[in-house]
Amino acid sequence: MLELSDIQSSPEELQDYYAQLSAQHITPAWIGGGISVEPQSQAVPFVWHWQDLRPQAMRAAELVGTAQAERRVLRLTNPKLPGIASNTLVANIQIVMPGEIARAHRHSGAALRLIIEGRGGYTVVNGERVPMSPGDLVLTPNWSWHDHANDTDAPMIWLDSLDTPLVRMLEAGFYEEYHQERQELAPPVNASEWHYPMTEMRAALERLAAGSPDAAGEEISLEYTNRRTGGPVMPTIACHMQLLRPGEKTRARRRVCCANYHVIEGAGYSVVGDQRLDWEDKDVFTVPTWTFCEHVNSGNRPAFLFSFSDAPVMKALSLYRDEARP
């Protein structure tokens, strides 16, 4: 008859055996904690307020030039993670002042820019000039040349996200500087491939909301899609924009993906796990993986929430799950 074996070894025998294993750099799996029943993120819910971020970005522009910093960026740091907002994605604030450039380079990490402040600066992606206005999404896919410039009379500030923590974990990172500080501009051919204007997304969400007046608790949300493939904007990053009408509350959901949010405009709060995160215009907050999250618009105007996550990675590996709270 087949049955579980029951071997009662003495503590001294086991201690001696474990010491031998340790000396040979071997670890017995049965004392290592085993497999978790469900994901338990090291990250914690957290919100960074624009009223704190903007003064620090302006101060950075006074203290450090773009000649001294490859990118003048402030990293939003999760209290439980080393210099990153979430386990696989960073969320940064970058500032380029009038008359400045940020020199051209490329890297293995994929990046996006969500414009927060300023109008008329631009990013050059593989020779194509891409305009920047508040709420616009600008992509710089992995290994694409990109540089930034501000030829306006006001600061340009945007939210950066890159998948560099994931690339670093996979030990797959490469970096290269361009042979000169700026790329030469080519005639515009398909700049729209990298550019998703806020004006178009706002109009699409408002049409969706008008057609769903009774969809209480259900998300009014659209995903940005890759203009070539129809899939996520980049293989490792998915981007969404969500509309919350005044007084609206979404149903709590949790997903196997880490997500970061930027408040384009509006005021309200999100309940993430057992924490309430209050937010308003231009704030940034993070939602760890497999953590229930619900959003509430507590203001008297529509709220627009931009989010980006590592969902494409989880789906590609057949690890993604999505469930509503019963």
Side-chain angles (χ1 to χ4, degrees):
M1 182 176 67
L2 298 176
E3 60 183 10
L4 296 175
S5 61
D6 186 5
I7 303 173
Q8 299 292 332
S9 301
S10 70
E12 292 77 18
E13 287 179 301
L14 287 174
Q15 186 175 8
D16 179 64
Y17 177 56
Y18 295 156
Q20 293 178 40
L21 291 178
S22 178
Q24 297 172 349
H25 302 285
I26 303 171
T27 301
W30 59 87
I31 64 170
I35 299 174
S36 62
V37 176
E38 62 181 24
Q40 297 179 350
S41 180
Q42 292 179 318
V44 295
F46 194 77
V47 60
W48 295 269
H49 296 291
W50 183 243
Q51 64 181 8
D52 301 321
L53 293 173
R54 190 183 189 281
Q56 297 293 9
M58 295 300 295
R59 182 60 173 156
E62 296 174 356
L63 296 174
V64 180
T66 53
Q68 286 71 42
E70 180 67 22
R71 291 290 186 263
R72 189 166 51 212
V73 158
L74 299 178
R75 293 180 179 173
L76 307 189
T77 301
N78 192 286
K80 296 297 183 179
L81 298 177
I84 52 179
S86 54
N87 286 287
T88 58
L89 298 171
V90 300
N92 303 327
I93 299 297
Q94 183 169 171
I95 181 169
V96 179
M97 296 297 285
E100 288 184 337
I101 64 167
R103 58 175 169 251
H105 65 208
R106 63 180 179 178
H107 39 66
S108 300
L112 63 86
R113 330 284 170 192
L114 197 287
I115 314 309
I116 300 176
E117 182 178 313
R119 189 182 302 273
Y122 60 91
T123 288
V124 180
V125 184
N126 288 338
E128 296 180 12
R129 175 171 169 155
V130 183
M132 291 175 155
S133 293
D136 288 2
L137 173 63
V138 176
L139 305 179
T140 54
N142 72 320
W143 211 238
S144 58
W145 294 112
H146 56 282
D147 56 272
H148 312 296
N150 184 355
D151 56 5
T152 75
D153 58 1
M156 290 294 304
I157 308 177
W158 58 82
L159 174 72
D160 270 337
S161 176
L162 297 91
D163 58 6
T164 46
L166 175 64
V167 173
R168 188 177 300 114
M169 180 180 63
L170 296 173
E171 297 183 337
F174 293 89
Y175 170 86
E176 183 179 354
E177 290 190 356
Y178 197 63
H179 65 274
Q180 55 191 26
E181 289 184 345
R182 304 174 65 185
Q183 298 177 69
E184 295 181 2
L185 296 180
V189 178
N190 62 345
S192 61
E193 183 177 345
W194 325 118
H195 184 216
Y196 297 78
M198 179 60 185
T199 53
E200 295 179 5
M201 177 55 81
R202 181 190 296 270
L205 283 170
E206 289 174 345
R207 288 195 300 269
L208 184 61
S212 308
D214 300 321
E218 297 302 321
E219 293 186 1
I220 301 172
S221 177
L222 290 173
E223 181 176 2
Y224 295 85
T225 57
N226 186 293
R227 299 188 191 277
R228 291 187 179 183
T229 68
V233 288
M234 291 182 286
T236 54
I237 305 177
C239 296
H240 292 78
M241 186 76 79
Q242 183 172 354
L243 168 62
L244 290 169
R245 293 168 287 202
E248 191 162 18
K249 174 182 179 179
T250 66
R251 188 176 180 182
R253 303 193 71 89
R254 61 180 177 178
R255 302 174 171 91
V256 177
C257 64
C258 60
N260 297 296
Y261 286 79
H262 170 64
V263 184
I264 302 290
E265 59 185 68
Y269 63 91
S270 298
V271 180
V272 185
D274 59 358
Q275 295 189 42
R276 170 172 165 154
L277 304 179
D278 291 281
W279 42 258
E280 57 185 4
D281 292 357
K282 304 177 182 178
D283 289 352
V284 180
F285 62 95
T286 187
V287 177
T289 190
W290 205 235
T291 304
F292 279 113
C293 176
E294 60 187 87
H295 307 298
V296 180
N297 182 347
S298 59
N300 56 9
R301 57 193 171 110
F304 290 87
L305 301 181
F306 171 79
S307 64
F308 54 95
S309 76
D310 61 359
V313 178
M314 300 305 170
K315 292 178 180 179
L317 298 175
S318 298
L319 297 174
Y320 183 78
R321 291 193 187 188
D322 177 352
E323 71 175 27
R325 176 176 282 153

